Amino acid sequence: MDGTWLAVESVPEKLEIKVPPCGQIDEPAPPDTIFATNSSSYPSRLMAEKVRDKNDLCNMHFYMPPEFNAVDLMSDGETDEDVPSSVELRSLSSANLSEADLHCPR
């Protein structure tokens, strides 16, 4: 996972199966990796048990159908305030998105 700046968990919406993958993905990732869950039901802090830096957690919800090419970034109440901006800037430069495609409530 060298060079990974963002890891997104996207398993079914059952908290008991969301927690283990979060730690498994976080362990080999670089320390500054932003970790997101695609959950629209649970805040990411509920999956933080085995994640090193709980301030780098957020919820990231992708719109359907994929042609919309838009995503919501949400704090879990403990997310570092720089995380949404970092995801926004890196996404714009690497995924051919415009600022209108990203919804980052602040």
Side-chain angles (χ1 to χ4, degrees):
M1 293 185 68
D2 289 341
T4 300
W5 67 271
L6 174 67
V8 181
E9 165 281 316
S10 187
V11 299
E13 289 289 290
K14 293 186 179 182
L15 191 56
E16 64 273 11
I17 64 173
K18 284 186 162 295
V19 174
C22 292
Q24 293 166 349
I25 293 169
D26 182 62
E27 188 175 316
D32 61 345
T33 301
I34 295 169
F35 191 81
T37 176
N38 192 37
S39 179
S40 56
S41 302
Y42 302 107
S44 55
R45 71 177 168 273
L46 297 179
M47 294 161 241
E49 181 180 317
K50 296 183 180 182
V51 175
R52 290 173 287 189
D53 189 348
K54 292 157 181 45
N55 294 321
D56 285 340
L57 290 169
C58 64
N59 287 60
M60 183 177 239
H61 189 261
F62 294 88
Y63 284 87
M64 295 304 276
E67 295 81 32
F68 286 147
N69 204 21
V71 63
D72 276 331
L73 300 175
M74 297 154 280
S75 168
D76 68 4
E78 297 176 20
T79 304
D80 185 287
E81 64 184 34
D82 292 333
V83 166
S85 296
S86 179
V87 171
E88 183 177 7
L89 291 172
R90 288 180 177 200
S91 296
L92 288 170
S93 66
S94 65
N96 196 25
L97 296 173
S98 71
E99 287 188 39
D101 293 323
L102 292 169
H103 307 280
C104 302
R106 290 184 168 78

